[in-house]
Amino acid sequence: MVNGSALMSHRVIIDARHHMLGRLASIVAKELLSGQRVVVVRCEEIALSGGLVRQKMKYLRFLRKRMNTKPSHGPIHFRAPSKIFWRTVRGMIPHKTKRGAAALARLKVYEGVPPPYDRLKRMVVPDALKVLRLQKGHKYCLLGRLSKEVGWNHYDTIKELEEKRKEKSKVSYERRKQLARLRAKAVKVVEEKLGSQLDVLAPVKY
């Protein structure tokens, strides 16, 4: 993550794919409170420890918790993966104070990778990665799959959009690779043409 007051104005984009929910939320919460602006994409790929059936039963128990006389007063039960992650982060921030509200306002969460974030550099958080934090052989489930089971209706839409984005980015990557090869080839040709003149240009760092 980015640290230092001079860099706090920059936005950090985190690719949440296969990060553990609680660990990622705690790290993001701490960064938000320190003044960092954070964008989290691909929230539907966040991992939770425990199998899908177990997590679904836990979430269904949570859905039964409500205010008897006026359920719209809360608690509010989000179904979308991005909002579930947002609520997890909110629970780690003193969001009822001015400082906490300002910190939470610095967080943006999305399913998939919408523009313009599909063209920007995305980071991972090693301390929250499933492959490093979840013991081998332990069951886990993805937040998008859980959300689909409890009433989120856009799982298939996001999956389709992500496939289109990956195809588009693959074409772009191949084009960049080709341009890099052509550039390397052109540099080699120029160096062969210049020959001994390169020794003259080297001292002036041309």
Side-chain angles (χ1 to χ4, degrees):
M1 301 297 283
V2 178
N3 290 312
S5 58
L7 295 173
M8 287 302 176
S9 59
H10 293 297
R11 184 174 46 197
V12 172
I13 302 164
I14 298 174
D15 187 349
R17 181 178 180 271
H18 287 184
H19 286 65
M20 302 306 294
L21 176 66
R23 288 183 180 273
L24 180 61
S26 64
I27 292 165
V28 168
K30 193 167 185 179
E31 289 295 322
L32 292 170
L33 288 167
S34 68
Q36 182 68 57
R37 290 194 296 161
V38 180
V39 177
V40 182
V41 296
R42 289 217 276 184
C43 287
E44 75 281 3
E45 297 280 342
I46 291 175
L48 292 87
S49 59
L52 180 62
V53 174
R54 176 188 174 87
Q55 291 297 340
K56 184 181 175 183
M57 298 306 293
K58 280 172 68 176
Y59 206 85
L60 291 175
R61 286 199 294 272
F62 167 63
L63 291 179
R64 287 198 292 272
K65 291 178 172 61
R66 64 175 196 163
M67 184 178 180
N68 274 340
T69 52
K70 187 157 183 165
S72 61
H73 273 198
I76 306 299
H77 309 105
F78 295 117
R79 265 71 165 197
S82 60
K83 295 302 286 183
I84 292 172
F85 178 74
W86 178 86
R87 195 178 195 273
T88 307
V89 174
R90 189 188 69 174
M92 300 178 181
I93 286 175
H95 66 279
K96 294 187 180 182
T97 65
K98 284 186 179 179
R99 176 174 173 254
L104 203 57
R106 287 190 285 270
L107 174 65
K108 292 186 184 296
V109 287
Y110 299 99
E111 288 93 13
V113 189
Y117 306 115
D118 56 342
R119 293 183 175 274
L120 300 175
K121 184 179 180 182
R122 300 187 290 276
M123 300 183 179
V124 297
V125 182
D127 288 344
L129 282 171
K130 175 182 72 69
V131 71
L132 298 176
R133 289 299 170 185
L134 192 66
Q135 288 186 4
K136 188 178 179 182
H138 277 219
K139 290 183 179 179
Y140 72 95
C141 68
L142 297 181
L143 193 53
R145 190 78 180 83
L146 174 64
S147 293
K148 184 185 178 184
E149 294 289 325
V150 296
W152 184 51
N153 297 322
H154 305 295
Y155 179 80
D156 295 325
T157 307
I158 293 295
K159 194 174 180 181
E160 186 180 333
L161 289 171
E162 276 296 280
E163 285 173 2
K164 286 181 181 177
R165 180 190 65 81
K166 286 173 184 175
E167 286 174 11
K168 190 177 175 182
S169 64
K170 185 179 179 182
V171 171
S172 177
Y173 175 67
E174 291 296 332
R175 190 185 302 123
R176 287 199 306 273
K177 267 182 27 176
Q178 188 178 4
L179 289 171
R181 282 197 298 268
L182 290 171
R183 181 184 172 82
K185 189 177 178 181
V187 168
K188 191 176 179 182
V189 169
V190 170
E191 285 179 351
E192 287 174 358
K193 281 184 180 179
L194 289 174
S196 60
Q197 294 179 32
L198 286 173
D199 298 330
V200 177
L201 294 172
V204 293
K205 296 182 180 177
Y206 179 72

